[in-house]
Amino acid sequence: MKFLSAFVTFENLHEVRRLCHWGPVIALSVIAICSTMAMLDSIIWYWPLDTTGGSINFIMLINWTVLILYNYFNAMFVGPGYIPLGWKPENQHDAQYLQYCRVCQGYKAPRSHHCRKCNRCVMKMDHHCPWINNCCGHLNHAYFTSFLLLAPLGCSHAAIIFIMTMYTQLYERISFGWSTVKIDMSAVRQFQPLMPFSVPAFAATLFALGLALGTTIAVGMLFFIQMKVILRNKTSIESWIEEKAKDRIQHYQTGEEFIFPYDLGGRWLNFKQVFTWSGTPKGDGIVWPVHPKCNQHTLTMEQLKQKADKRVRSQVQYQVVEDYNGACCPLSKGLQTFFRTPCTEEPRIALNKGDIILATRGTKWWMYGDKVLNEEEMKGKLLKSL
């Protein structure tokens, strides 16, 4: 199996260190708690193994856990695929259409981007995911998206088990303060539980239910976001590049028609570029099938235009009119600003009223740029660098 081979053929042990990060620790803890509690609740209190339904339910719970972990570890350890260090296009003439990466000492192939966390240029980079402590890109995009689908499904199943366990064990009497309310339930237990449903068992089940419901909602939303870009054969970064392309064309009134080059014209065709029966996506991560009106460097040339536009726009200065503490999701600045925070790893810059910034681009709620440092701040920055 490819998963086992990936585990055995590590070139170095630093891959195993990906597990030593808050993201995988939390993710695996949630998986372990939800799956373990669902199995225990089923066997001990809700649906014993000596019934046909209980056996099927138990097998399904194990199946969810295995599939979730299989795709999770593949997304983590197979990785996104990296552009070789010092890479150059076969045709040297094409180098003029590509960006050069000073860290990797090579050109960035089409659809690749440099990840500051991984310190490499990543093939078809979508984003760096802290939950797998790795990038989501060309080789692991399908595994990552499958994990995003399976986790909510498995947690939904577990949540039903938790609810039914508490329902069947607490139906006789539920106390509210000083009064005792007797509830007549039709679903009476037909078997004797292996052990009493104690307060610690109730607390553990309730805690696991909260984790399962939270995971279902949060990861389910991420799944729909991923599928939205996959069905258009895009990545999250490329969606942002396309948005900036339309903004550039509208700002300068160039009359250009920007066509996203990797949308093959059909959702099924785009879907098959990521998901295959073998688990290995189509392509080598460097050369891609493109729209008939585009070429291999349509998007990279647009990126170069945006870089040039960024240099021009960065000459415009803006004065800050309100303090900002650099929070990722500042609730004090309004709900629109809170919910429309950019999904990017770029750091937020704390600002004080009266500061000067150079903005390169922006939306109605957020701006991108740099703060103009005064003499004292420049001296402080120099001292820190020494």
Side-chain angles (χ1 to χ4, degrees), residues 19-168:
L19 292 168
C20 303
H21 182 265
W22 63 265
V25 169
I26 294 176
L28 292 173
S29 297
V30 171
I31 295 171
I33 293 171
C34 290
S35 60
T36 302
M37 283 303 303
M39 293 177 191
L40 290 176
D41 280 7
S42 296
I43 296 172
I44 300 174
W45 294 294
Y46 176 57
W47 216 342
L49 291 176
D50 56 3
T51 63
T52 303
S55 298
I56 294 174
N57 174 65
F58 186 75
I59 292 172
M60 287 181 64
L61 288 173
I62 294 177
N63 200 39
W64 287 127
T65 304
V66 171
L67 289 174
I68 289 170
L69 291 176
Y70 173 82
N71 285 282
Y72 179 82
F73 284 123
N74 269 306
M76 178 185 291
F77 292 125
V78 170
Y82 302 107
I83 302 297
L85 296 174
W87 180 83
K88 297 179 181 179
E90 293 183 3
N91 186 349
Q92 294 300 317
H93 178 73
D94 293 338
Q96 63 181 314
Y97 307 124
L98 302 172
Q99 298 183 71
Y100 187 80
C101 178
R102 296 179 181 178
V103 178
C104 297
Q105 294 294 304
Y107 289 92
K108 297 180 183 179
R111 309 192 79 175
S112 69
H113 301 273
H114 186 84
C115 175
R116 289 178 294 178
K117 299 285 186 180
C118 298
N119 205 33
R120 289 289 299 274
C121 286
V122 176
M123 293 179 178
K124 205 190 82 170
M125 179 178 174
D126 186 89
H127 68 287
H128 185 91
C129 177
W131 304 112
I132 62 173
N133 195 21
N134 206 342
C135 278
C136 174
H138 176 56
L139 295 180
N140 65 351
H141 205 170
Y143 291 123
F144 180 77
T145 308
S146 298
F147 166 73
L148 295 183
L149 170 64
L150 292 166
L153 292 177
C155 285
S156 298
H157 185 185
I160 294 172
I161 299 297
F162 300 143
I163 292 172
M164 294 306 298
T165 298
M166 291 187 288
Y167 169 85
T168 55

